[in-house]
Amino acid sequence: MFNTRDGQRAAEGIRTTYRTFEVNSLTPHIGAEVCDIDLSEPLSNEQAQDIHDAWMDWKLLVFREQELTREHHKAFARRFGKLHVHPMQHQYRGDPEILKVKTSADSAYTAGDGWHTDVTCDEIPPLGSMLYVTETPECGGGDTLFADMCLAYELLSEPMQRFLGGLTAVHDGALPYVGSYKSKPPEGGYPRNEHPVVTRHPETGQPVLYVNRGFTSHIVGLSGAESRALLDMLYRHIDSTPRLWCRVEWRPKTLTFWDNRCTQHHAVWDYYPHGRYGERVSIVGEARPAA
Ligand code: SIN
């Protein structure tokens, strides 16, 4: 749909100027705020290509002060592909393409409160997600952390990179949706699929560490103890390396757009008993994650 740049970063850093806008980076390698764009207006092809390019460069884009209806939100997402229907939608009423992300004093959990990549239990997980937050906790808090999984791979030693390169892992929807959220599975159960532990980003070609605490149940072919130890080591690498992260501080009317093929995120529930509300639209991926 979009022309892909070669994805190589210039030695002096990632660019911040595009043909139709500029961005302000949140860290040197992940996350940028896009200036001067109104997502409620139809995008020109040039603007859409620039957003795509900035998204490839920065992995996570933040758009502030957007007045969006659901139709605007979905129309923007459709510029990047078909809309995804979340596996837990079978138990919700309402628009199947809109995932409500609502937390109040009565919530038993907050969706995404732990490092994960969205819906990796699917055979073809979403390629990206757009979360539009309209209510933030009045006391502050409720930020979302994002992690750069290309850098996570890059920071591993070469012997570890080589070892992981031959492995596949099982990603099981029952883990979060039943285990954490206590939801009733649909007929036939939640999706469960295998993906390589190291994938290659289909557009930039960069290697990606592709296991996540939310969905990955085990590594195929290892003993239970070996698989647990290896996954725990990789999760600790993500948990304990702030250099991988970028922090989005939400203000009402902020939309973020993340590349689900090379990031993880963690919605921080540090605002109980206050509330937070947003709606997420995800975009269907184009192919199975591949090594
Ligand atoms: C999610 O998409 O996992 C929720 C993220 C958030 O609420 O910040």
Side-chain angles (χ1 to χ4, degrees):
M1 181 175 299
F2 290 97
N3 302 321
T4 301
R5 298 181 335 99
D6 65 8
Q8 296 302 308
R9 298 168 183 199
E12 68 276 13
I14 313 175
R15 66 183 163 153
T16 54
T17 302
Y18 298 82
R19 287 167 306 177
T20 58
F21 54 73
E22 299 207 339
V23 304
N24 294 320
S25 62
L26 299 177
T27 75
H29 57 93
I30 178 173
E33 286 199 15
V34 180
C35 310
D36 296 327
I37 194 156
D38 179 354
L39 301 178
S40 69
E41 296 290 332
L43 297 178
S44 67
N45 289 339
E46 212 177 29
Q47 281 175 313
Q49 180 74 49
D50 278 352
I51 291 173
H52 171 269
D53 290 350
W55 184 54
M56 288 302 95
D57 288 342
W58 292 100
K59 302 180 174 68
L60 159 73
L61 298 180
V62 180
F63 301 86
R64 300 285 187 190
E65 291 169 32
Q66 301 293 326
E67 288 283 352
L68 301 180
T69 62
R70 280 191 182 154
E71 286 316 309
H72 292 136
H73 189 175
K74 293 204 291 184
F76 178 45
R78 277 199 196 98
R79 293 301 299 252
F80 299 88
K82 287 200 194 118
L83 303 191
H84 174 260
V85 175
H86 195 279
M88 277 177 74
Q89 284 293 17
H90 71 98
Q91 62 172 30
Y92 303 139
R93 282 189 295 275
D95 186 333
E97 293 167 339
I98 297 276
L99 184 74
K100 293 181 183 165
V101 178
K102 178 176 180 180
T103 307
S104 70
D106 300 327
S107 299
Y109 63 86
T110 289
D113 182 15
W115 284 110
H116 67 287
T117 301
D118 291 332
V119 202
T120 56
C121 56
D122 273 3
E123 185 180 3
I124 303 182
L127 62 83
S129 290
M130 295 180 175
L131 177 62
Y132 181 51
V133 165
T134 48
E135 290 168 35
T136 52
E138 60 200 54
C139 55
D143 297 351
T144 304
L145 297 172
F146 290 85
D148 177 344
M149 300 312 295
C150 297
L151 186 59
Y153 175 80
E154 211 176 299
L155 295 181
L156 294 170
S157 66
E158 271 185 41
M160 181 53 68
Q161 290 178 345
R162 273 199 300 279
F163 176 58
L164 296 178
L167 300 175
T168 57
V170 173
H171 295 241
D172 189 347
L175 220 57
Y177 306 144
V178 181
S180 302
Y181 302 164
K182 313 292 178 219
S183 98
K184 188 169 170 295
E187 223 179 288
Y190 281 116
R192 190 173 190 266
N193 280 284
E194 283 183 23
H195 303 301
V197 168
V198 179
T199 57
R200 197 158 281 282
H201 192 287
E203 297 195 60
T204 65
Q206 288 178 291
V208 179
L209 178 60
Y210 199 72
V211 287
N212 70 88
R213 205 191 284 278
F215 289 94
T216 311
S217 60
H218 63 281
I219 295 181
V220 178
L222 300 189
S223 71
E226 289 167 344
S227 168
R228 191 68 273 142
L230 185 57
L231 288 175
D232 283 347
M233 182 278 288
L234 294 172
Y235 298 155
R236 246 193 336 272
H237 173 49
I238 299 160
D239 291 346
S240 63
T241 313
R243 187 180 153 195
L244 300 177
W245 313 339
C246 151
R247 187 174 195 112
V248 172
E249 185 186 342
W250 296 94
R251 297 196 289 271
K253 301 182 191 167
T254 298
L255 181 138
T256 56
F257 179 22
W258 60 88
D259 188 338
N260 200 51
R261 299 164 295 188
C262 59
T263 62
Q264 295 196 15
H265 54 284
H266 177 172
V268 181
W269 193 11
D270 54 359
Y271 50 89
Y272 181 86
H274 296 276
R276 178 176 178 271
Y277 184 77
E279 296 189 348
R280 193 180 92 192
V281 170
S282 295
I283 302 152
V284 172
E286 284 167 356
R288 290 191 73 131

